[in-house]
Amino acid sequence: MSEVYAARRTRLRERCNAGGSAAALVSRPANVRYLAGAAPRGAVLLLGTTEDLLLCTEPPEDRPAAGRPDESLRLRVLPGPGADPAVAAGGVAEAQGADSLAVEEHHLTVARHRAIGSAAPRLRLAGLGQAVEQLRVVKDEEEISCLRIGAEIADQALGELLESILVGRTERHLALELERRLVDHGADGPAFPTSVGTGPHAGRPGHRPTDRRVEEGDFLSVCLGATYRGYRCEIGRTFVIGTSPADWQIELYDLVFAAQRAGREALAPGVAHRDVDRAARQVLDSAGYGENLPARTGHGVGLQIDEDPQLTPAAMGKLDACVPVTVEPGVHLPGRGGVRIDDTLVVRPEADGGPELLTITTKELLAL
Amino acid sequence: MSEVYAARRTRLRERCNAGGSAAALVSRPANVRYLAGAAPRGAVLLLGTTEDLLLCTEPPEDRPAAGRPDESLRLRVLPGPGADPAVAAGGVAEAQGADSLAVEEHHLTVARHRAIGSAAPRLRLAGLGQAVEQLRVVKDEEEISCLRIGAEIADQALGELLESILVGRTERHLALELERRLVDHGADGPAFPTSVGTGPHAGRPGHRPTDRRVEEGDFLSVCLGATYRGYRCEIGRTFVIGTSPADWQIELYDLVFAAQRAGREALAPGVAHRDVDRAARQVLDSAGYGENLPARTGHGVGLQIDEDPQLTPAAMGKLDACVPVTVEPGVHLPGRGGVRIDDTLVVRPEADGGPELLTITTKELLAL
């Protein structure tokens, strides 16, 4: 694996040098992990002029879930508390003779930025922008394989829940049980706080579970994901509780299903992000639900559950092959509930069979 | 409750005006919650010259755990995605006629700070420092009551675990079960990731649970906490698995117990933070464990699990009454394991009975 991380750092160094900086400081944890193999507590990565260095305040953990620092990197553990690896890295960069250091201005606080400037006064601090986030958008097959395993785990956890009795249980308990099952099946942990919404809460994006109990006739929507080796996927499904869904439930479900299918089918290399959003959105829009739609219908996933690209009406840019995204339109009717269907897929060219669906739990309307 | 939040904002405004700023922008979530009663997603609080305003990207959640925004504050929900409430707040401050705005430079990123400057070019951006964190150190009885309930919940969860069979179960499963029990007993959630360490992992501060199973003869150390109405407490205990602890285990336990008791007994208003640390530390130091001790033996708790004061050898400042802190010395012997004992207590004057112990699970060495 060491070559993978070294190659990623080489690509970043090229971008950085092209931007006029001899050295770069990466501080955002997911970016550190991407380039160094692990991000121990407080870790920052210095791409120096003479040597790369991983600085942290604690030694790396010996758990597969935490990753393993690339052995070709020199590791420096600073004594705590209060030591800031970013400040120490500034000093190292200056000592290496760098005249400018590109930093992650979207992650470093004003106070830390100033402390680096004080510790290394001869260093010009420049902006690295979202260079690492941009490198992270297209995944390699190793990364996709972690997402695929995470998706399998989430499918398993959800499948087992559906076999149990749901009526009378609270949203909070169902969410906890799903999270336990994720870990049982080998996840590092949940990819994000599991959302379970029943009745009027169903279909609300990001709903935090309450003590409301599942009742006959409810919509029940569930959104969960597993983290596996640091990679985070997402699946969301909506069910009906009881033997026979009401007509409005079937209609709403069919509509959201059609929107979600349209979004999935729009995924292909070269397609504009906004066109994927529009494909899903216009189905709901033309049925009269335009006003209550969420701001986006999907987003990238990877080392973070919410990465680029953003699938929104105003998004710029086009999809590439090997970009994993969610497609997750939904409709929520205040006071009544709603439907949300969410898959994680990998963009693949037509010749490779089109988009690869990672979350394979059925999307038929199940009455439980 | 509204008066409580208004009074806190008044105190902050006084500090802020004394520092030469007419307006202040609070962005750190725990600080926002402290001053506004709740911190909906992305929320920032503007203490303006003519009006205070809570700006966020999502409406407040209707859950007790999330708190409820002070109704005397005007609420503005910005349409997402991409809207930054901090930038919007800068514009409002400028429109209100403020000439300078104090911001939390230890929380705002360089990029957000610059965006505020661009949106409000006539506004001078000053530093608010850790003014809100300083206000938060001394708690009122309402806050202490939330910590007390959280501690009771953690005690219950731990007590139930001790009644179950432990041998053969993995650290990860024990940690998950504890977290489930915390929620069962009414916690908003765990206050931090539950730590369970067995055998060679026992006593390691911040140990992340692995798949190692509990074995006869192990030390087992557990550290957990409940969040209740936003307030986070902490308890840590170490047990021996099996009927009769080994001599080295009894000796090490007694030593750490003595150190922890010395730390607890040192807690009183007016005592220097470093003297509390020294009281606990010197017991371990004089027994020859000075080299492997963690950097601190305790810390404040509240809306965050790790707040001021820090109980370290170099800490400045003195304890006040009504400051909740942990006392948590420990010794970890690489390859063998160790002991850690951790309580949450509230500093109280002698006349009120001395330090109030919130986490009351026994600290006798239990053989399970």
Side-chain angles (χ1 to χ4, degrees), chain A residues 41 61 63 80-81 105-111 113-114 172-173 176 180 183-184 186-188 206 208-210 295 312, chain B residues 61 63 80-81 105-111 113-114 172-173 176 180 183-184 186-188 206 208-210 295 312:
Chain A
R41 190 164 324 175
E61 294 177 73
R63 293 185 306 136
E105 295 179 335
H106 61 299
H107 177 262
L108 277 184
T109 65
V110 175
H113 191 264
R114 186 179 299 139
R172 290 217 293 181
H173 275 93
L176 278 168
R180 184 178 61 76
V183 174
D184 279 352
D188 309 340
R208 299 280 297 270
T210 72
T312 66
Chain B
E61 295 177 73
R63 293 185 306 136
E105 295 180 335
H106 60 299
H107 178 262
L108 277 184
T109 64
V110 175
H113 191 265
R114 186 180 298 139
R172 289 216 295 179
H173 275 93
L176 278 168
R180 184 178 62 75
V183 174
D184 279 351
D188 309 340
R208 298 280 297 271
T210 71
T312 66

Side-chain angles (χ1 to χ4, degrees), chain A residues 33-54:
Chain A
R33 181 160 184 169
Y34 182 73
L35 297 168
R41 190 164 324 175
V44 303
L45 174 68
L46 174 68
L47 297 193
T49 51
T50 57
E51 188 184 27
D52 294 349
L53 199 62
L54 182 65

